[in-house]
Amino acid sequence: MSTPPPDSGNAKPQGIIANPDALLQTEIDRVVLEQSGHSAEELQKLAELEQLPPLTDEELARQAEAAPGADGDPSTPE
């Protein structure tokens, strides 16, 4: 069995990958989505939350006072 020469008209042109890094990132995203059990939207929201600055002590105290939890102790935020 022989293969036709490239100039015979039967050869398919080789596709050009504009950004190989984008292709790699797409594959990484696909694997992460399959393994995590989360949707792309959920992972995006988690990534956005991770970018938020940490809460200040004042904000934690305000939250503790607003929601003292079942024990009613505002010094332990729930």
Side-chain angles (χ1 to χ4, degrees), residues 1-77:
M1 181 190 276
S2 66
T3 58
D7 58 9
S8 70
N10 292 335
K12 292 184 179 181
Q14 178 66 32
I16 297 174
I17 298 174
N19 185 349
D21 292 335
L23 183 61
L24 177 60
Q25 186 61 50
T26 300
E27 182 64 15
I28 291 170
D29 292 345
R30 183 189 64 76
V31 171
V32 168
L33 284 174
E34 287 176 2
Q35 297 298 315
S36 72
H38 293 288
S39 69
E41 292 79 20
E42 290 171 327
L43 292 178
Q44 180 63 33
K45 287 179 185 177
L46 288 173
E48 289 171 5
L49 288 174
E50 289 176 356
Q51 298 300 320
L52 293 174
L55 295 177
T56 63
D57 290 339
E58 293 79 21
E59 178 59 21
L60 287 173
R62 186 197 65 74
Q63 289 181 15
E65 289 177 11
D71 62 1
D73 184 0
S75 67
T76 57

